Amino acid sequence: MKDSYEIAVVHGDGIGPEVCGAAIEVLDATLGTGILRFIEYPAGAEHFLATGESLPEKTAQACRAADAILHGAAGLPGAVHPDGTEAGVDFSLKLRFGLDLYANIRPIRLYDGVESALVGIPAGGIDYVIVRENSEGLYAARGAGSVLRGDVAVDTLVQTRKGIERIVRKAFELARLSDGAPADGVRRVTCCDKANVLRSYAFFRAVFDEVAKDYPEIEAEHVIVDAMTMYLVQRPGHFNIIVTENMFGDILSDLAAATIGGLGMAPSAEVGADNGLFQPSHGSAPDIAGRGIANPYGMVLSAAAMLDWLGRKHDDKRLLDAGGRIRRVTEGALSAGCLTTDLKGSATTREVTDFLCQALASKEPITA
Ligand code: IPM
Ligand code: MN
């Protein structure tokens, strides 16, 4: 345990500063000031447009040295590299590869008070985690693909035994700690791939099967990715932990978010052996930026995940307790109807933040 922890904060673009600011207020309301030291650094699309740099070296170094990294969101129209890819995504991708943040953990949970796009699903009826491989797969080609003579474009999908083993192991370890799937309470890890068509995915599946043998008490199954998109709509309650390649995990996590109220509800924790980056799954939503109506819940839940990770890493009960408190008041706020416009409510970012901070400050149970 340390006396205090340094958190590198990058607010980013669009609604990034609004939701990130909300999360910092909530963290302070939970822990008081002093335990977490927030230090802000520039990066992102706006910085790129102003300076030509999307991730300054000083920011990258500070992120590496910090105890954890908190990020709002990145990306702006027009902030593109000469090859047509976006500058806004540099921050996340460079940190993922540079700091080996191999596990992208994305909890998908339908909270009481939030309406799903799917009909007839009760609160808690969707409760699974997408464990997205975050350091290889198709994204490994970022910056290294090629376009030949203006006719042929190639990006290479890379899967290594080491990379697959560690992400699959992470998935089984999470299953061990979980309560199982909502539909039947079974602890289950689903390997999502395209093993029927491509060798690299057949390899992913073969390594998954090897690792699964070490966890006989946990059910292991395979689902092909195209069928998975259907099952996540038709019977989401079946799933507990889903482990998948980088690009598939990216796509599935947006689909999954749509079933729990939208991207504003989807947190994410990107962790490696030493570093952790915590940011919501959503983008910078420039269309609603600056209007004070962004949904901060995904960011706040990502901040709670940061406390869990830091708390476990440093064996610090203060942080573990605080993470639990944030999740409880979040649940309370949602079921009390404190909903932003994306959730069919009318609360502003400010109102949600105040609700959460007041609930954290009071010892009373939260009521509507
Ligand atoms: C996500 C985002 C990122 C991704 C971008 C910002 C690089 O969509 O975290 O899901 O594609 O992985
Ligand atoms: Mn995404």
Side-chain angles (χ1 to χ4, degrees):
M1 172 172 146
K2 291 174 145 189
D3 287 343
S4 69
Y5 301 87
E6 187 171 315
I7 311 298
V9 176
V10 172
H11 286 279
D13 309 307
I15 60 169
E18 295 165 60
V19 294
C20 199
I24 290 173
E25 284 188 46
V26 170
L27 287 167
D28 278 343
T30 327
L31 281 166
T33 46
I35 296 182
L36 301 183
R37 286 174 288 117
F38 300 102
I39 308 186
E40 296 178 8
Y41 298 94
E46 199 175 314
H47 194 74
F48 173 81
L49 290 174
T51 66
E53 245 186 346
S54 53
L55 176 57
E57 188 48 35
K58 193 167 165 255
T59 301
Q61 274 170 15
C63 287
R64 180 184 290 275
D67 291 298
I69 308 153
L70 205 55
H71 179 231
L76 285 179
V80 278
H81 292 300
D83 67 2
T85 62
E86 274 191 41
V89 302
D90 289 345
F91 176 76
S92 290
L93 293 174
K94 285 187 177 165
L95 291 188
R96 286 173 189 175
F97 295 120
L99 303 180
D100 198 23
L101 307 174
Y102 69 90
N104 191 333
I105 296 164
R106 301 190 148 177
I108 300 295
R109 171 160 179 223
L110 181 61
Y111 282 92
D112 184 36
V114 177
E115 201 179 291
S116 173
L118 309 177
V119 287
I121 309 230
I126 302 176
D127 196 356
Y128 58 87
V129 182
I130 296 177
V131 179
R132 167 183 176 186
E133 204 296 319
N134 214 34
S135 62
E136 49 183 47
L138 193 50
Y139 277 49
R142 164 81 176 174
S146 62
V147 179
L148 273 180
R149 295 179 289 277
D151 287 321
V152 181
V154 181
D155 278 314
T156 309
L157 193 156
V158 178
Q159 316 237 48
T160 66
R161 174 175 289 281
K162 176 185 160 208
I164 302 165
E165 265 177 17
R166 64 184 182 175
I167 197 67
V168 171
R169 226 164 258 295
K170 179 70 94 181
F172 277 97
E173 295 297 334
L174 282 172
R176 253 188 191 158
L177 298 174
S178 81
D179 295 330
D184 55 12
V186 172
R187 292 202 176 90
R188 168 182 297 124
V189 180
T190 308
C191 172
C192 177
D193 56 48
K194 193 74 189 177
N196 53 337
V197 175
L198 292 174
R199 272 190 187 159
S200 56
Y201 289 114
F203 180 61
F204 191 99
R205 181 179 287 200
V207 175
F208 171 87
D209 288 343
E210 281 172 32
V211 174
K213 289 197 189 111
D214 292 341
Y215 302 85
E217 77 283 14
I218 293 163
E219 189 177 298
E221 65 172 10
H222 313 125
V223 173
I224 305 279
V225 66
D226 48 354
M228 183 59 111
T229 61
M230 182 177 66
Y231 293 147
L232 291 184
V233 172
Q234 288 179 334
R235 47 184 182 104
H238 168 78
F239 297 100
N240 176 198
I241 311 287
I242 297 167
V243 64
T244 193
E245 177 268 332
N246 204 337
M247 176 79 147
F248 287 167
D250 179 45
I251 297 167
L252 289 179
S253 49
D254 277 29
L255 177 104
T259 68
I260 55 157
L263 270 174
M265 293 305 299
S268 154
E270 304 178 46
V271 299
D274 302 317
N275 298 88
L277 163 64
F278 302 85
Q279 59 179 337
S281 297
H282 64 69
S284 59
D287 53 327
I288 59 157
R291 292 169 52 195
I293 58 167
N295 177 346
Y297 284 114
M299 178 84 224
V300 166
L301 289 168
S302 305
M306 177 182 85
L307 296 181
D308 295 341
W309 178 77
L310 272 177
R312 273 198 303 273
K313 186 168 184 227
H314 298 280
D315 196 16
D316 191 333
K317 198 169 168 321
R318 297 171 307 175
L319 304 183
L320 292 170
D321 289 349
R325 281 199 301 278
I326 292 181
R327 261 189 299 277
R328 276 197 300 283
V329 297
T330 297
E331 253 183 280
L334 289 165
S335 65
C338 185
L339 306 174
T340 41
T341 50
D342 57 318
L343 302 174
K344 303 193 179 151
S346 58
T348 60
T349 314
R350 178 76 267 147
E351 284 164 349
V352 174
T353 312
D354 287 345
F355 192 112
L356 295 172
C357 291
Q358 278 158 23
L360 286 162
S362 101
K363 300 268 178 286
E364 302 298 314
I366 308 149
T367 49

mmCIF file of all heavy atoms in Angstrom, residues 124-160:
data_model
loop_
_atom_site.group_PDB
_atom_site.id
_atom_site.type_symbol
_atom_site.label_atom_id
_atom_site.label_comp_id
_atom_site.label_asym_id
_atom_site.label_seq_id
_atom_site.Cartn_x
_atom_site.Cartn_y
_atom_site.Cartn_z
ATOM 1 N N GLY A 124 -30.121 -6.819 -14.489
ATOM 2 C CA GLY A 124 -29.272 -7.955 -14.110
ATOM 3 C C GLY A 124 -29.403 -9.136 -15.068
ATOM 4 O O GLY A 124 -28.637 -10.096 -14.988
ATOM 5 N N GLY A 125 -30.357 -9.078 -15.993
ATOM 6 C CA GLY A 125 -30.551 -10.173 -16.948
ATOM 7 C C GLY A 125 -29.450 -10.212 -17.996
ATOM 8 O O GLY A 125 -29.283 -11.199 -18.719
ATOM 9 N N ILE A 126 -28.736 -9.104 -18.107
ATOM 10 C CA ILE A 126 -27.523 -9.080 -18.943
ATOM 11 C C ILE A 126 -26.386 -8.723 -18.008
ATOM 12 O O ILE A 126 -26.405 -7.677 -17.361
ATOM 13 C CB ILE A 126 -27.614 -8.023 -20.064
ATOM 14 C CG1 ILE A 126 -28.838 -8.281 -20.947
ATOM 15 C CG2 ILE A 126 -26.332 -8.003 -20.892
ATOM 16 C CD1 ILE A 126 -29.067 -7.229 -22.026
ATOM 17 N N ASP A 127 -25.428 -9.616 -17.884
ATOM 18 C CA ASP A 127 -24.320 -9.371 -16.955
ATOM 19 C C ASP A 127 -23.137 -10.252 -17.354
ATOM 20 O O ASP A 127 -22.973 -11.355 -16.841
ATOM 21 C CB ASP A 127 -24.780 -9.678 -15.518
ATOM 22 C CG ASP A 127 -23.836 -9.094 -14.484
ATOM 23 O OD1 ASP A 127 -22.801 -8.521 -14.888
ATOM 24 O OD2 ASP A 127 -24.130 -9.215 -13.281
ATOM 25 N N TYR A 128 -22.379 -9.791 -18.304
ATOM 26 C CA TYR A 128 -21.215 -10.568 -18.746
ATOM 27 C C TYR A 128 -20.039 -9.617 -18.964
ATOM 28 O O TYR A 128 -20.186 -8.396 -18.899
ATOM 29 C CB TYR A 128 -21.528 -11.379 -20.003
ATOM 30 C CG TYR A 128 -21.991 -10.601 -21.216
ATOM 31 C CD1 TYR A 128 -21.092 -10.057 -22.130
ATOM 32 C CD2 TYR A 128 -23.365 -10.430 -21.472
ATOM 33 C CE1 TYR A 128 -21.526 -9.361 -23.249
ATOM 34 C CE2 TYR A 128 -23.810 -9.739 -22.588
ATOM 35 C CZ TYR A 128 -22.885 -9.202 -23.471
ATOM 36 O OH TYR A 128 -23.323 -8.513 -24.568
ATOM 37 N N VAL A 129 -18.876 -10.205 -19.192
ATOM 38 C CA VAL A 129 -17.679 -9.392 -19.418
ATOM 39 C C VAL A 129 -17.047 -9.792 -20.743
ATOM 40 O O VAL A 129 -16.831 -10.983 -20.981
ATOM 41 C CB VAL A 129 -16.637 -9.595 -18.281
ATOM 42 C CG1 VAL A 129 -15.419 -8.709 -18.516
ATOM 43 C CG2 VAL A 129 -17.252 -9.325 -16.919
ATOM 44 N N ILE A 130 -16.799 -8.812 -21.585
ATOM 45 C CA ILE A 130 -16.031 -9.080 -22.798
ATOM 46 C C ILE A 130 -14.561 -8.876 -22.449
ATOM 47 O O ILE A 130 -14.166 -7.800 -21.994
ATOM 48 C CB ILE A 130 -16.442 -8.147 -23.949
ATOM 49 C CG1 ILE A 130 -17.908 -8.407 -24.329
ATOM 50 C CG2 ILE A 130 -15.526 -8.344 -25.165
ATOM 51 C CD1 ILE A 130 -18.444 -7.490 -25.405
ATOM 52 N N VAL A 131 -13.785 -9.932 -22.627
ATOM 53 C CA VAL A 131 -12.344 -9.849 -22.387
ATOM 54 C C VAL A 131 -11.693 -9.787 -23.767
ATOM 55 O O VAL A 131 -11.589 -10.790 -24.472
ATOM 56 C CB VAL A 131 -11.847 -11.055 -21.571
ATOM 57 C CG1 VAL A 131 -10.346 -10.981 -21.353
ATOM 58 C CG2 VAL A 131 -12.585 -11.119 -20.232
ATOM 59 N N ARG A 132 -11.343 -8.582 -24.112
ATOM 60 C CA ARG A 132 -10.835 -8.315 -25.459
ATOM 61 C C ARG A 132 -9.313 -8.336 -25.454
ATOM 62 O O ARG A 132 -8.692 -7.590 -24.680
ATOM 63 C CB ARG A 132 -11.359 -6.923 -25.882
ATOM 64 C CG ARG A 132 -10.690 -6.349 -27.093
ATOM 65 C CD ARG A 132 -11.211 -4.938 -27.397
ATOM 66 N NE ARG A 132 -10.487 -4.358 -28.507
ATOM 67 C CZ ARG A 132 -10.622 -3.116 -28.937
ATOM 68 N NH1 ARG A 132 -11.492 -2.298 -28.342
ATOM 69 N NH2 ARG A 132 -9.914 -2.670 -29.940
ATOM 70 N N GLU A 133 -8.721 -9.170 -26.300
ATOM 71 C CA GLU A 133 -7.260 -9.147 -26.444
ATOM 72 C C GLU A 133 -6.912 -7.767 -26.990
ATOM 73 O O GLU A 133 -7.522 -7.291 -27.931
ATOM 74 C CB GLU A 133 -6.798 -10.269 -27.390
ATOM 75 C CG GLU A 133 -5.356 -10.693 -27.174
ATOM 76 C CD GLU A 133 -4.335 -9.610 -27.454
ATOM 77 O OE1 GLU A 133 -4.522 -8.886 -28.466
ATOM 78 O OE2 GLU A 133 -3.369 -9.462 -26.696
ATOM 79 N N ASN A 134 -5.922 -7.105 -26.378
ATOM 80 C CA ASN A 134 -5.752 -5.675 -26.636
ATOM 81 C C ASN A 134 -4.384 -5.316 -27.182
ATOM 82 O O ASN A 134 -4.055 -4.145 -27.305
ATOM 83 C CB ASN A 134 -5.970 -4.928 -25.296
ATOM 84 C CG ASN A 134 -6.610 -3.572 -25.456
ATOM 85 O OD1 ASN A 134 -7.441 -3.355 -26.335
ATOM 86 N ND2 ASN A 134 -6.216 -2.635 -24.602
ATOM 87 N N SER A 135 -3.562 -6.334 -27.489
ATOM 88 C CA SER A 135 -2.194 -6.005 -27.891
ATOM 89 C C SER A 135 -1.778 -6.633 -29.213
ATOM 90 O O SER A 135 -0.661 -6.412 -29.670
ATOM 91 C CB SER A 135 -1.209 -6.455 -26.807
ATOM 92 O OG SER A 135 -1.275 -7.851 -26.651
ATOM 93 N N GLU A 136 -2.646 -7.448 -29.793
ATOM 94 C CA GLU A 136 -2.284 -8.033 -31.093
ATOM 95 C C GLU A 136 -3.530 -8.182 -31.958
ATOM 96 O O GLU A 136 -4.268 -7.212 -32.109
ATOM 97 C CB GLU A 136 -1.478 -9.335 -30.909
ATOM 98 C CG GLU A 136 -2.035 -10.343 -29.948
ATOM 99 C CD GLU A 136 -1.134 -11.563 -29.768
ATOM 100 O OE1 GLU A 136 0.084 -11.431 -29.578
ATOM 101 O OE2 GLU A 136 -1.683 -12.686 -29.801
ATOM 102 N N GLY A 137 -3.748 -9.319 -32.608
ATOM 103 C CA GLY A 137 -4.900 -9.445 -33.499
ATOM 104 C C GLY A 137 -4.758 -8.538 -34.711
ATOM 105 O O GLY A 137 -3.648 -8.216 -35.138
ATOM 106 N N LEU A 138 -5.872 -8.107 -35.250
ATOM 107 C CA LEU A 138 -5.811 -7.266 -36.452
ATOM 108 C C LEU A 138 -5.203 -5.895 -36.156
ATOM 109 O O LEU A 138 -4.555 -5.281 -37.006
ATOM 110 C CB LEU A 138 -7.213 -7.132 -37.054
ATOM 111 C CG LEU A 138 -7.295 -6.544 -38.460
ATOM 112 C CD1 LEU A 138 -6.339 -7.225 -39.431
ATOM 113 C CD2 LEU A 138 -8.717 -6.659 -38.995
ATOM 114 N N TYR A 139 -5.389 -5.411 -34.934
ATOM 115 C CA TYR A 139 -4.846 -4.105 -34.580
ATOM 116 C C TYR A 139 -3.316 -4.078 -34.548
ATOM 117 O O TYR A 139 -2.720 -3.006 -34.556
ATOM 118 C CB TYR A 139 -5.372 -3.662 -33.211
ATOM 119 C CG TYR A 139 -6.741 -3.019 -33.238
ATOM 120 C CD1 TYR A 139 -7.808 -3.610 -33.901
ATOM 121 C CD2 TYR A 139 -6.966 -1.814 -32.574
ATOM 122 C CE1 TYR A 139 -9.057 -3.034 -33.902
ATOM 123 C CE2 TYR A 139 -8.218 -1.218 -32.572
ATOM 124 C CZ TYR A 139 -9.265 -1.835 -33.240
ATOM 125 O OH TYR A 139 -10.505 -1.253 -33.234
ATOM 126 N N ALA A 140 -2.695 -5.251 -34.499
ATOM 127 C CA ALA A 140 -1.226 -5.299 -34.467
ATOM 128 C C ALA A 140 -0.646 -4.619 -35.694
ATOM 129 O O ALA A 140 0.493 -4.159 -35.696
ATOM 130 C CB ALA A 140 -0.745 -6.740 -34.389
ATOM 131 N N ALA A 141 -1.429 -4.549 -36.759
ATOM 132 C CA ALA A 141 -0.935 -3.975 -38.008
ATOM 133 C C ALA A 141 -0.980 -2.453 -38.018
ATOM 134 O O ALA A 141 -0.499 -1.822 -38.964
ATOM 135 C CB ALA A 141 -1.764 -4.518 -39.171
ATOM 136 N N ARG A 142 -1.559 -1.865 -36.971
ATOM 137 C CA ARG A 142 -1.703 -0.403 -36.940
ATOM 138 C C ARG A 142 -0.375 0.293 -37.282
ATOM 139 O O ARG A 142 0.646 0.064 -36.639
ATOM 140 C CB ARG A 142 -2.165 0.015 -35.533
ATOM 141 C CG ARG A 142 -2.002 1.476 -35.209
ATOM 142 C CD ARG A 142 -3.111 2.323 -35.773
ATOM 143 N NE ARG A 142 -2.966 3.714 -35.360
ATOM 144 C CZ ARG A 142 -3.724 4.687 -35.801
ATOM 145 N NH1 ARG A 142 -4.683 4.443 -36.677
ATOM 146 N NH2 ARG A 142 -3.537 5.917 -35.383
ATOM 147 N N GLY A 143 -0.416 1.119 -38.309
ATOM 148 C CA GLY A 143 0.783 1.868 -38.699
ATOM 149 C C GLY A 143 1.743 1.079 -39.572
ATOM 150 O O GLY A 143 2.749 1.610 -40.026
ATOM 151 N N ALA A 144 1.454 -0.211 -39.785
ATOM 152 C CA ALA A 144 2.394 -1.036 -40.548
ATOM 153 C C ALA A 144 1.757 -1.695 -41.766
ATOM 154 O O ALA A 144 2.401 -2.455 -42.479
ATOM 155 C CB ALA A 144 2.996 -2.112 -39.651
ATOM 156 N N GLY A 145 0.482 -1.420 -41.977
ATOM 157 C CA GLY A 145 -0.154 -1.962 -43.177
ATOM 158 C C GLY A 145 0.434 -1.294 -44.411
ATOM 159 O O GLY A 145 1.212 -0.351 -44.305
ATOM 160 N N SER A 146 0.065 -1.793 -45.575
ATOM 161 C CA SER A 146 0.615 -1.153 -46.769
ATOM 162 C C SER A 146 -0.432 -1.052 -47.868
ATOM 163 O O SER A 146 -1.381 -1.831 -47.918
ATOM 164 C CB SER A 146 1.822 -1.953 -47.270
ATOM 165 O OG SER A 146 1.386 -3.239 -47.630
ATOM 166 N N VAL A 147 -0.237 -0.034 -48.681
ATOM 167 C CA VAL A 147 -1.082 0.115 -49.860
ATOM 168 C C VAL A 147 -0.138 0.099 -51.062
ATOM 169 O O VAL A 147 0.747 0.936 -51.173
ATOM 170 C CB VAL A 147 -1.888 1.427 -49.816
ATOM 171 C CG1 VAL A 147 -2.732 1.557 -51.076
ATOM 172 C CG2 VAL A 147 -2.764 1.494 -48.573
ATOM 173 N N LEU A 148 -0.300 -0.899 -51.890
ATOM 174 C CA LEU A 148 0.625 -1.092 -53.013
ATOM 175 C C LEU A 148 0.097 -0.458 -54.285
ATOM 176 O O LEU A 148 -1.010 -0.797 -54.729
ATOM 177 C CB LEU A 148 0.796 -2.588 -53.275
ATOM 178 C CG LEU A 148 1.864 -3.353 -52.511
ATOM 179 C CD1 LEU A 148 1.843 -4.809 -52.949
ATOM 180 C CD2 LEU A 148 3.231 -2.743 -52.744
ATOM 181 N N ARG A 149 0.881 0.448 -54.847
ATOM 182 C CA ARG A 149 0.563 1.061 -56.136
ATOM 183 C C ARG A 149 -0.878 1.567 -56.246
ATOM 184 O O ARG A 149 -1.471 1.569 -57.322
ATOM 185 C CB ARG A 149 0.841 0.066 -57.272
ATOM 186 C CG ARG A 149 2.317 -0.279 -57.405
ATOM 187 C CD ARG A 149 2.561 -1.272 -58.520
ATOM 188 N NE ARG A 149 2.086 -2.600 -58.220
ATOM 189 C CZ ARG A 149 2.764 -3.497 -57.520
ATOM 190 N NH1 ARG A 149 3.958 -3.193 -57.071
ATOM 191 N NH2 ARG A 149 2.265 -4.677 -57.286
ATOM 192 N N GLY A 150 -1.464 1.909 -55.112
ATOM 193 C CA GLY A 150 -2.837 2.406 -55.144
ATOM 194 C C GLY A 150 -3.854 1.339 -55.509
ATOM 195 O O GLY A 150 -5.016 1.645 -55.769
ATOM 196 N N ASP A 151 -3.451 0.072 -55.493
ATOM 197 C CA ASP A 151 -4.349 -0.997 -55.923
ATOM 198 C C ASP A 151 -4.654 -2.039 -54.860
ATOM 199 O O ASP A 151 -5.734 -2.607 -54.837
ATOM 200 C CB ASP A 151 -3.726 -1.763 -57.120
ATOM 201 C CG ASP A 151 -3.774 -0.933 -58.378
ATOM 202 O OD1 ASP A 151 -4.793 -0.259 -58.584
ATOM 203 O OD2 ASP A 151 -2.788 -0.957 -59.138
ATOM 204 N N VAL A 152 -3.663 -2.310 -54.013
ATOM 205 C CA VAL A 152 -3.799 -3.425 -53.079
ATOM 206 C C VAL A 152 -3.456 -2.948 -51.669
ATOM 207 O O VAL A 152 -2.403 -2.354 -51.468
ATOM 208 C CB VAL A 152 -2.834 -4.580 -53.446
ATOM 209 C CG1 VAL A 152 -3.001 -5.744 -52.482
ATOM 210 C CG2 VAL A 152 -3.071 -5.036 -54.870
ATOM 211 N N ALA A 153 -4.364 -3.191 -50.717
ATOM 212 C CA ALA A 153 -4.109 -2.782 -49.336
ATOM 213 C C ALA A 153 -4.039 -4.007 -48.447
ATOM 214 O O ALA A 153 -4.848 -4.923 -48.569
ATOM 215 C CB ALA A 153 -5.215 -1.851 -48.861
ATOM 216 N N VAL A 154 -3.055 -4.027 -47.544
ATOM 217 C CA VAL A 154 -2.859 -5.188 -46.673
ATOM 218 C C VAL A 154 -2.646 -4.750 -45.231
ATOM 219 O O VAL A 154 -1.827 -3.877 -44.951
ATOM 220 C CB VAL A 154 -1.606 -6.004 -47.113
ATOM 221 C CG1 VAL A 154 -1.423 -7.220 -46.207
ATOM 222 C CG2 VAL A 154 -1.712 -6.431 -48.563
ATOM 223 N N ASP A 155 -3.403 -5.350 -44.306
ATOM 224 C CA ASP A 155 -3.108 -5.266 -42.878
ATOM 225 C C ASP A 155 -3.023 -6.706 -42.395
ATOM 226 O O ASP A 155 -3.827 -7.544 -42.797
ATOM 227 C CB ASP A 155 -4.232 -4.546 -42.107
ATOM 228 C CG ASP A 155 -4.120 -3.031 -42.198
ATOM 229 O OD1 ASP A 155 -3.005 -2.510 -42.017
ATOM 230 O OD2 ASP A 155 -5.149 -2.370 -42.451
ATOM 231 N N THR A 156 -2.082 -6.997 -41.523
ATOM 232 C CA THR A 156 -1.864 -8.386 -41.132
ATOM 233 C C THR A 156 -2.422 -8.679 -39.745
ATOM 234 O O THR A 156 -2.182 -7.918 -38.810
ATOM 235 C CB THR A 156 -0.347 -8.700 -41.125
ATOM 236 O OG1 THR A 156 0.180 -8.268 -42.375
ATOM 237 C CG2 THR A 156 -0.094 -10.180 -40.955
ATOM 238 N N LEU A 157 -3.139 -9.772 -39.619
ATOM 239 C CA LEU A 157 -3.675 -10.188 -38.324
ATOM 240 C C LEU A 157 -2.637 -11.079 -37.646
ATOM 241 O O LEU A 157 -2.183 -12.058 -38.244
ATOM 242 C CB LEU A 157 -4.977 -10.950 -38.557
ATOM 243 C CG LEU A 157 -5.879 -11.218 -37.367
ATOM 244 C CD1 LEU A 157 -7.302 -11.415 -37.853
ATOM 245 C CD2 LEU A 157 -5.442 -12.424 -36.574
ATOM 246 N N VAL A 158 -2.263 -10.711 -36.432
ATOM 247 C CA VAL A 158 -1.199 -11.442 -35.741
ATOM 248 C C VAL A 158 -1.737 -12.051 -34.450
ATOM 249 O O VAL A 158 -2.335 -11.350 -33.635
ATOM 250 C CB VAL A 158 -0.030 -10.486 -35.374
ATOM 251 C CG1 VAL A 158 1.061 -11.229 -34.622
ATOM 252 C CG2 VAL A 158 0.524 -9.800 -36.612
ATOM 253 N N GLN A 159 -1.550 -13.340 -34.272
ATOM 254 C CA GLN A 159 -1.945 -13.974 -33.009
ATOM 255 C C GLN A 159 -0.772 -14.828 -32.548
ATOM 256 O O GLN A 159 -0.304 -15.690 -33.304
ATOM 257 C CB GLN A 159 -3.163 -14.875 -33.195
ATOM 258 C CG GLN A 159 -4.243 -14.239 -34.040
ATOM 259 C CD GLN A 159 -5.578 -14.150 -33.319
ATOM 260 O OE1 GLN A 159 -5.644 -13.714 -32.171
ATOM 261 N NE2 GLN A 159 -6.626 -14.539 -33.975
ATOM 262 N N THR A 160 -0.316 -14.616 -31.330
ATOM 263 C CA THR A 160 0.795 -15.411 -30.812
ATOM 264 C C THR A 160 0.316 -16.312 -29.680
ATOM 265 O O THR A 160 -0.657 -15.986 -28.996
ATOM 266 C CB THR A 160 1.924 -14.514 -30.261
ATOM 267 O OG1 THR A 160 1.432 -13.824 -29.103
ATOM 268 C CG2 THR A 160 2.392 -13.495 -31.293
#
